[in-house]
Amino acid sequence: MRPSRRVTALGSAGALVTATLIAGAVAAPSATADSRHGQSREQRGAAIAAERAAKAGMDWQDCPADWGFEKPIQCGWVGVPLDYAHPNGKQIKLAVDRIGNTGTKEERQGALVYNPGGPGGSGMRFPRRVTTKSAIWANTAKAYDFVGFDPRGVGHSAPISCIDPQEFVKAPKADPVPDTQADKFAQRKLAAEYADGCAERSGAMLPQMTTPNTARDLDVIRAALGEKKLNYLGVSYGTYLGAVYGTLFPGHVRRMVVDSVVNPSRENIWYQANLEQDIAFEGRWKDWEDWVAKNDAVFHLGDTRAKVQDQWLKLRATAKQSPLGGVVGPAELISFFQSAPYYDSSWVPVATVFSKYVAGDTQALVDAASPDLSNTAGNIASENGNAVYTAVECTDAKWPTSWKKWDRDNTRLHKDYPFMTWANAWMNLPCATWPVKQQTPVDVKTGKGLPAVLIVQSTRDAATPYPGAVELHKRFKGSRLITEKDAGSHGVTGLVNPCINSRVDAYLLTGKTDSSDVTCTPHATPTP
């Protein structure tokens, strides 16, 4: 689900490094083994942790220089239990940052907390929407402090790891599309080694790397910020985090915007969700090819979708036979080209690089699609993001353990939806041999006190297909759905579309929604 670039084939497990846990027991009431007042041990633990955080508050400081956040953005830490069933046990620290509202004291409505997706995405860049003067968010910034955080396991928040980062990005990797049973066996072996690597390097964290625990962390952050209720903006996987938070803490929600929605049905989390993605990615890939064909005068890649697809298949076959520059094979091509069906903002850059290649400039594509082994910090972040993605999705829900099922489902899908199917399968296959107990997903539903939630979704989104927004809309009573028709960029609220932008502003500033669901025309198509 995560909106960052996904590495589509795994490397072998590396040396043992355990995730850093910050130990510390603070005197507080202990949770009993049996539930109190109808609450689970974890929910009781979350209440204890939130009470503790509310008393402690936040010690805001200038951000560490190497974190890359300019003043007046400030950073701080929030302590949370590793295991909410044992709130006085081992603690970990979560990195949080903020920038104050740009309006007056009278205009301030509290903190707006952001999650960009993943699992594995960092929200710490959110306050930079103020320092970089994002026009879309200018009105909201007058009323709210913008708050970002690294979820548990991510970035500065007790980061986890499953493989040596340099090994993780090394290229070329095997073609994700298997030619033989031996190819499949090799990928299965890599996936099992990756799962073992997660246990070796991050074993203490893995059982607690779940969406419900991240939702509990979110409530502790809310308390540490001094907020009685949460204002929240979640994109992509952040919508599922919001849906779980709204289910576990319905009375703690003040305003919630969810953008590009994960289908929260228990049956969908997470195996089915990835199969649905494969279908949607194929549709959006074709949208991009149609656009490239319409702009053939610029890109010279063919004036029909079929001709553009032929160029893609030719490129893929060439890279499979002999990786470009020795490093860019089919796996690396998919990692690069999939940003086009993810985001409209990638349409021009990806088509430009593709066009240069067809015109004879191979180096532009090699530079764009190959890993940079000298960028050790970036490679650590990339590996960490993939580790968290895997840990959360594998631990959140029970996955099929039968290889026959995986093979049957993905072989069937690949026939009609070849662009992403096998790459996605191998990325998720560690879940088939996951070394810790897999949970049952939360039954997302409306609870007492949940206010109107604003849902925003484009109809042709590849990463989070449109039915997910419809499903959450049904489950959250009183919610309002804004549909961007005939568009498919992932993450709608960050794009210029006055029909959407004005309604998001109105909701966050006044709490008001339209009297019925709204359909908006699409944002402007990229211009080459």
Side-chain angles (χ1 to χ4, degrees):
M1 293 301 152
R2 73 168 173 279
S4 55
R5 237 173 87 183
R6 294 152 44 125
V7 176
T8 56
L10 302 169
S12 58
L16 175 68
V17 178
T18 53
T20 305
L21 300 176
I22 294 127
V26 181
S30 61
T32 57
D34 54 333
S35 61
R36 294 187 191 176
H37 312 299
Q39 290 183 314
S40 69
R41 290 176 68 191
E42 287 83 4
Q43 285 301 91
R44 180 62 187 157
I48 290 167
E51 194 179 323
R52 197 154 57 206
K55 285 178 183 170
M58 291 291 302
D59 180 18
W60 296 110
Q61 305 280 346
D62 289 341
C63 298
D66 60 349
W67 287 17
F69 301 119
E70 62 273 32
K71 294 179 183 179
I73 298 170
Q74 295 180 302
C75 292
W77 299 94
V78 174
V80 298
L82 175 61
D83 179 356
Y84 278 95
H86 301 94
N88 302 314
K90 194 161 278 188
Q91 308 287 301
I92 57 175
K93 285 187 176 179
L94 307 180
V96 183
D97 66 346
R98 70 148 187 199
I99 192 166
N101 73 304
T102 60
T104 63
K105 282 184 181 178
E106 292 72 31
E107 287 177 289
R108 186 177 180 275
Q109 295 191 39
L112 177 63
V113 184
Y114 173 71
N115 179 273
S122 167
M124 298 282 281
R125 292 179 63 82
F126 184 54
R128 298 199 72 244
R129 295 190 186 181
V130 179
T131 57
T132 58
K133 296 183 166 46
S134 167
I136 294 171
W137 295 99
N139 291 331
T140 301
K142 288 179 184 174
Y144 291 95
D145 304 346
F146 278 18
V147 175
F149 71 104
D150 278 345
R152 60 171 51 207
V154 175
H156 307 293
S157 297
I160 67 166
S161 172
C162 293
I163 186 174
D164 175 75
Q166 296 296 95
E167 190 69 27
F168 176 72
V169 301
K170 198 181 286 183
K173 291 175 168 52
D175 184 351
V177 178
D179 292 320
T180 64
Q181 290 300 319
D183 290 345
K184 291 178 181 178
F185 184 79
Q187 293 281 12
R188 289 172 64 190
K189 185 169 180 285
L190 282 177
E193 287 175 355
Y194 185 84
D196 290 344
C198 295
E200 288 171 11
R201 296 167 75 99
S202 306
M205 290 279 287
L206 290 193
Q208 307 302 330
M209 289 295 298
T210 66
T211 302
N213 275 344
T214 304
R216 294 175 187 119
D217 293 344
L218 190 53
D219 200 57
V220 177
I221 291 170
R222 170 201 59 77
L225 292 169
E227 301 285 325
K228 285 192 168 58
K229 296 199 173 187
L230 178 73
N231 303 294
Y232 177 75
L233 170 63
V235 181
S236 189
Y237 165 77
T239 67
Y240 183 59
L241 177 58
V244 171
Y245 182 90
T247 302
L248 297 180
F249 303 98
H252 292 188
V253 179
R254 179 175 178 267
R255 310 257 163 87
M256 180 179 286
V257 178
V258 287
D259 169 5
S260 304
V261 180
V262 172
N263 185 330
S265 162
R266 279 176 160 175
E267 291 71 36
N268 193 60
I269 304 296
W270 284 106
Y271 180 75
Q272 188 63 32
N274 281 279
L275 298 180
E276 300 290 344
Q277 268 191 331
D278 300 335
I279 297 168
F281 261 102
E282 196 71 32
R284 194 60 179 159
W285 172 248
K286 288 174 179 174
D287 290 350
W288 177 72
E289 289 183 321
D290 287 339
W291 173 86
V292 171
K294 277 181 191 167
N295 290 285
D296 186 52
V298 177
F299 299 119
H300 312 294
L301 291 165
D303 57 5
T304 66
R305 179 202 296 170
K307 289 178 183 176
V308 178
Q309 178 70 1
D310 283 346
Q311 291 283 16
W312 160 249
L313 294 175
K314 188 176 167 186
L315 165 60
R316 205 184 181 293
T318 300
K320 183 181 177 80
Q321 188 174 2
S322 179
L324 311 178
V327 286
V328 176
E332 291 70 35
L333 288 177
I334 292 170
S335 284
F336 172 66
F337 275 85
Q338 72 177 0
S339 64
Y342 251 120
Y343 305 114
D344 290 8
S345 60
S346 293
W347 281 18
V348 174
V350 171
T352 300
V353 169
F354 193 10
S355 177
K356 285 180 179 177
Y357 168 80
V358 170
D361 179 4
T362 301
Q363 193 59 43
L365 182 52
V366 171
D367 291 344
S370 61
D372 179 1
L373 292 175
S374 69
N375 181 16
T376 52
N379 297 338
I380 288 168
S382 179
E383 189 278 326
N384 169 242
N386 197 81
V388 175
Y389 167 89
T390 309
V392 172
E393 293 213 358
C394 294
T395 311
D396 258 0
K398 293 170 180 65
W399 288 69
T401 55
S402 160
W403 166 245
K404 282 184 179 176
K405 178 169 177 57
W406 286 78
D407 194 18
R408 184 176 63 246
D409 289 347
N410 287 283
T411 298
R412 174 179 53 84
L413 273 183
H414 174 75
K415 287 176 185 172
D416 295 320
Y417 312 103
F419 179 68
M420 277 288 292
T421 296
W422 277 114
N424 212 11
W426 304 129
M427 182 175 177
N428 292 294
L429 190 60
C431 297
T433 59
W434 196 237
V436 301
K437 182 183 176 185
Q438 294 176 320
Q439 308 294 315
T440 300
V442 168
D443 183 19
V444 169
K445 58 187 176 184
T446 306
K448 186 180 177 183
L450 184 72
V453 170
L454 188 64
I455 302 170
V456 187
Q457 178 80 31
S458 62
T459 56
R460 297 191 61 76
D461 191 317
T464 54
Y466 184 74
V470 176
E471 182 67 24
L472 183 61
H473 188 25
K474 284 180 193 166
R475 287 169 179 259
F476 273 180
K477 290 183 175 63
S479 61
R480 188 61 68 226
L481 173 60
I482 300 174
T483 299
E484 189 184 27
K485 196 176 179 187
D486 300 327
S489 199
H490 188 58
V492 178
T493 53
L495 302 172
V496 176
N497 187 333
C499 176
I500 295 167
N501 306 143
S502 61
R503 286 176 167 87
V504 171
D505 271 353
Y507 172 76
L508 288 171
L509 296 174
T510 70
K512 290 177 183 172
T513 60
D514 289 84
S515 57
S516 59
D517 292 340
V518 175
T519 299
C520 293
T521 54
H523 62 273
T525 305
T527 305

